[in-house]
Amino acid sequence: PYGHARTNGRLFSERGIYRPGDAVELKGIVRREAESANVIPTEETFELTVIGPTYDELEKKIVRTNAFGAFSHRVVLPK
């Protein structure tokens, strides 16, 4: 009934407001839909694109999930 399994991700940071030049610590959690439950994609790679407040691309990076389907990444904002 699902056809193609969708992959969903959620991205979090340690605070809500940043200033130019700040380092942003990102944490992501990825899940894939399955017929009976969500599947944890372990040791898989995904492309992470960080977009700024004016919709410019700040960074594009390949990230790898761990055994829990999570990843972390640090982005330094431009000054």
Side-chain angles (χ1 to χ4, degrees):
Y2 281 93
H4 184 342
R6 291 188 318 176
T7 300
N8 297 299
R10 300 290 181 258
L11 194 61
F12 306 91
S13 65
E14 83 274 17
R15 44 181 225 249
I17 298 176
Y18 295 90
R19 294 175 190 247
D22 282 354
V24 181
E25 301 293 337
L26 297 172
K27 173 86 174 194
I29 300 172
V30 181
R31 295 294 181 264
R32 184 167 294 121
E33 290 180 353
E35 195 168 325
S36 61
N38 284 331
V39 176
I40 299 171
T42 60
E43 302 299 326
E44 291 188 32
T45 58
F46 295 91
E47 184 178 79
L48 171 68
T49 304
V50 180
I51 305 293
T54 56
Y55 302 102
D56 51 329
E57 184 179 299
L58 299 180
E59 188 168 312
K60 188 175 278 192
K61 176 87 173 168
I62 300 297
V63 295
R64 180 179 292 279
T65 57
N66 61 19
F68 304 104
F71 65 88
S72 60
H73 183 64
R74 180 183 180 146
V75 178
V76 178
L77 301 177
K79 292 186 177 193

